[in-house]
Amino acid sequence: MSFNLGDYVDVPTRLAMALKKYPDLRIQESQPHIIEVDTQKYVEISCTVWRDATDTLPVVAYCWEQIPGKTPYTRGSEMMNSSTSCLGRALGFLGMGIGKSIASRDEVQAAQSRQPTQLAAVVPLHDVEMPFPDAPIREYPSSKQLGLMRGLATSQNIKGDDLKAYCTTVLKRDIHTTGDLTKQDISKVIDALKAAGETV
């Protein structure tokens, strides 16, 4: 089976993209653990990525790498390979460098020479060490709020990037994705859309 590496983005490029979008990005890697599944040993790494000090829903990814590695490229570098793949997946969850697959270029290249076993998941917040204990609690909007906002915006022909620009204008700060919006932000945008609709 062949892979088209042109569709994949390597981890350094994803990290540069993430830091450009989130200048206060913080990354924490867990201590590696050796686990055994069906007589095969793996090194397990988890990685937590906070967008900034106010991020109460950080992204968490996990990765397993066979140990010992099966090729000269993986043998002796199992922990480093697992670490790189784990960070690539976490950044992929943030939307960095993903197209057809969340896998990074590094992971695909490694997959060509070995049989990988990799897991990724988002864990409950209480399982994550918070490096910003004094940061204020951030309330995220419900799906119902988001749906109402999008419905009102669509009725006024405000979609996609135009909606982001609209939110930026209303909230007076840069909004790149709906993930940047709090529950209070959505309420303000909804009120503004309703007011604009009444004047049409």
Side-chain angles (χ1 to χ4, degrees):
M1 180 177 181
S2 62
F3 296 90
N4 178 12
L5 293 180
D7 292 335
Y8 298 88
V9 179
D10 63 21
V11 176
T13 301
R14 289 187 181 190
L15 181 56
M17 293 168 66
L19 287 170
K20 183 177 181 181
K21 184 173 182 178
Y22 304 109
D24 296 324
L25 189 85
R26 293 293 182 271
I27 299 168
Q28 178 176 291
E29 183 179 278
S30 70
Q31 180 178 348
H33 295 285
I34 305 300
I35 61 176
E36 186 172 321
V37 179
D38 293 334
T39 72
Q40 172 63 57
K41 290 184 178 179
Y42 301 88
V43 57
E44 180 189 69
I45 292 282
S46 73
C47 178
T48 306
V49 179
W50 289 265
R51 298 167 185 82
D52 55 39
T54 66
D55 192 351
T56 58
L57 288 175
V59 169
V60 182
Y62 289 86
C63 189
W64 290 6
E65 180 77 24
Q66 285 186 347
I67 188 169
K70 301 298 184 182
T71 73
Y73 305 103
T74 57
R75 192 175 302 116
S77 301
E78 294 88 353
M79 192 277 284
M80 289 75 82
N81 291 335
S82 183
S83 174
T84 300
S85 293
C86 194
L87 177 58
R89 295 183 73 78
L91 294 173
F93 292 149
L94 285 175
M96 302 299 137
I98 59 173
K100 296 180 180 179
S101 172
I102 200 168
S104 66
R105 185 183 183 94
D106 310 76
E107 290 181 279
V108 175
Q109 287 175 320
Q112 291 175 328
S113 60
R114 62 172 171 76
Q115 180 179 354
T117 301
Q118 295 169 329
L119 301 179
V122 176
V123 302
L125 189 60
H126 63 268
D127 287 340
V128 178
E129 179 182 347
M130 292 299 292
F132 311 105
D134 298 325
I137 299 298
R138 184 179 183 187
E139 292 188 72
Y140 285 82
S142 66
S143 57
K144 184 176 180 180
Q145 275 188 304
L146 288 168
L148 176 58
M149 179 188 73
R150 292 192 181 108
L152 289 169
T154 300
S155 69
Q156 297 178 41
N157 201 30
I158 303 173
K159 304 175 184 177
D161 290 339
D162 290 338
L163 180 55
K164 296 174 191 175
Y166 186 87
C167 291
T168 294
T169 301
V170 171
L171 300 172
K172 297 181 174 58
R173 74 172 194 277
D174 289 337
I175 300 298
H176 303 287
T177 71
T178 54
D180 295 334
L181 299 170
T182 66
K183 185 176 182 179
Q184 292 75 19
D185 290 338
I186 291 282
S187 293
K188 291 178 182 178
V189 174
I190 288 173
D191 288 343
L193 287 166
K194 286 181 177 178
E198 291 172 356
T199 59
V200 174

